[in-house]
Amino acid sequence: MRPSLEGGMFYRILIANRGEIALRIMRTARRLGYGVVAVYSDADRDARHVREADHAVRIGEALPSQSYLKIDAIIAAAKASGAGAVHPGYGFLAENEEFARACRDAGLVFIGPSPEAIRAMGNKAGAKEIMQKAGVPCVPGYQGADQSDEVMLAEARRIGFPVMIKAVAGGGGRGMRLVSDAASFPDALRNARSEALGAFGDATVILERAILDPRHIEIQVFGDRHGNAIHLGERDCSVQRRHQKLIEEAPSPAVSPGLRARMGAVAVQAVKALRYEGAGTLEFLLDGNGDFYFMEMNTRLQVEHPVTEAVTGVDLVELQLRVARGEPLGVKQEDITFSGHAIEVRLCSEDAAHDFMPQSGRMARWQMPEGVRVEHALESGSEIPPFYDSMIAKIISHGADRREARSKLIVALEQVEAFGVTTNQGFLISCLRHPAFAKGEATTSFIGAHRNELLAPRADESADAALVALLLYVTHPHAPPWRSGRSLAATFPLGLRIDLGRGLREVEIARERAGGYVVDVEGHVHRFEIDELGPDAIRYRTNGLMERATFLRDGDRLYVLHHDVTLAVRDLTLAPPEAAAGANGDGKVRAAMNGRVVSVLVKPGEQVAAGQPVMTLEAMKMEHVHTAAVAGTVSAIDVAEGEQVTTGRIVVEIEAAA
């Protein structure tokens, strides 16, 4: 039990987080009459959550380890600002028992469970033992103290492949590997440990039998210090990439009222056994037979909590604050009712076409849709730093049923204007439109099974190329002013070279005497009539169809929202031909993203094979292994471990074998 602060009272809350979750907590806190304090790193000095807080305190440099993970700096910020309570949000220190204890020792109310509960459930091995004693079904596995390579491999063989390797600390897919056979186990174990150590400071892992093709179902629970506990139904979080969720919904298409009651009862039983206070989530794997297995408990508010709020009408942050003040829940299980269906997507700054590579940089234009709930902290001109998670917004729809919620969400995503940094907008739309998802059949293998379909090129890429080339032509700073109607004379074709992300396209554009434009994309001819051309939108006709597109010109780059997808094009007409070196054909390994060098895996003079890992970079909380494109000898290492590098920088040089 935490010591009371005037009986659990507090009047100002410090939010030990950043971005959209900080703003979301501020919204409820202010509605309930609390003052709010933000913290920020050097990278977030001008961020929205800083500007919109009553007070803001700098806590360190850009890297999380130098700011948002510095317990002493956050405690000092709370003291300096007069805050009486700390809300950790999610991620960073939200499930750190030392942080919860430091708050308690400093006389601050930690808006979350006790340090003891966090410790008990934060370690996956210990959590499974507690759940087994509480009668909760668990996945068979190994969570022993002997972490030697030999024992781990022997235990994996005993469990039977495929197995999952999981870091005992943290979550979010970091330190997790699916291993299909004994031969690939040692490398997977080494990589999982490395990632876990870098992310959580603990390389310890557990093994679990891989439940193939399950659904990922989680139960939202709440407990108070008076012994009350409830659940608020389930969320289906099966659509994932890299074991990280992309789409969440409530209720699950696969959970019947009877199954919901059984899973909820098990979850409440666990909460009461722990004497748990605050918000928590028990995560389960649900197989095709309707059997479910406990995976882990998240002792915090979840990213996907808005879908539960949408179907229950309960403000979960408000409930957190009331429980933290020492109040009873004030709601019984029979009071929890469910209305309609809600779906959330995570809009991330990543390139789905290139293995979901994280992206950072300046978001030149940022316009979110209306008519749905959107949680974000960006605006036009915002910088997306490479140091934090790639999720930049959550878009949540609520409808009378699943069909309506899905349709509303697709329409909302089609309206998103995110120009300047690549996002997964189009990929999310593809997921929502896919027949398997539409039928409610998506499992955790959904993206893997349908990856080629979800990432398939658009049906008529030449039409996209024609439109963006036309926009490059008519919006060029030195282009003659556009006027509607007939032209005095037809123009000679103008040649352009453009890159839409899938290679160079050669385009010719000419204006006809009648006023229209003819655009020839490598033999595919398209005709356009422009009805209206504004500074950021065009209305035109092609093939008898009138269409509209919004755009933004930024130097030699053009961003266009066309047919529900954001297109990013570069004008390379005057640029020299790109050398094959861009594909590492010259033996130079280049950073694929802005990130931090985690480990250098080779040494100068070492012989390497094509495809051999040579360096690991960390960007947006994920590790990315860079490999040699050619076989040869390492001639130079151009970076050091811990160094921050930018996209395209040469990190390793290899002299190709003769």
Side-chain angles (χ1 to χ4, degrees), residues 68-92:
Y68 295 105
L69 294 176
K70 288 178 64 176
I71 294 175
D72 56 346
I74 293 174
I75 298 297
K79 291 290 188 180
S81 63
V86 175
H87 195 305
Y90 47 69
F92 294 132

Side-chain angles (χ1 to χ4, degrees), residues 203-219:
T204 308
V205 297
I206 65 172
L207 304 178
E208 289 182 350
R209 178 188 299 163
I211 307 297
L212 298 180
D213 206 24
R215 290 185 186 257
H216 183 140
I217 306 294
E218 58 189 33
I219 304 291

Side-chain angles (χ1 to χ4, degrees), residues 219-222 235 276 278-282 297-301:
I219 304 291
Q220 175 71 59
V221 293
F222 254 94
R235 296 183 288 257
Y276 187 86
T281 301
L282 277 80
M297 183 177 184
N298 294 307
T299 53
R300 54 169 168 81
L301 194 68

Side-chain angles (χ1 to χ4, degrees), residues 248-272:
E248 302 102 347
E249 59 182 311
S252 167
V255 174
S256 65
L259 180 56
R260 179 178 304 116
R262 293 200 303 275
M263 297 183 75
V266 165
V268 169
Q269 180 179 327
V271 170
K272 289 184 175 180

Side-chain angles (χ1 to χ4, degrees), residues 419 458 464-465 467-468 500 558-562 565-569:
F419 296 163
R458 286 152 70 91
D464 292 338
L467 174 62
V468 297
L500 266 170
L558 180 75
Y559 303 96
V560 185
L561 181 60
H562 179 233
V565 174
T566 297
L567 305 171
V569 60

Side-chain angles (χ1 to χ4, degrees), residues 110-131:
F110 180 75
I111 302 174
S114 67
E116 292 76 19
I118 294 175
R119 182 180 69 248
M121 301 311 295
N123 182 288
K124 290 183 175 66
K128 287 185 68 174
E129 292 181 6
I130 293 171
M131 290 295 114

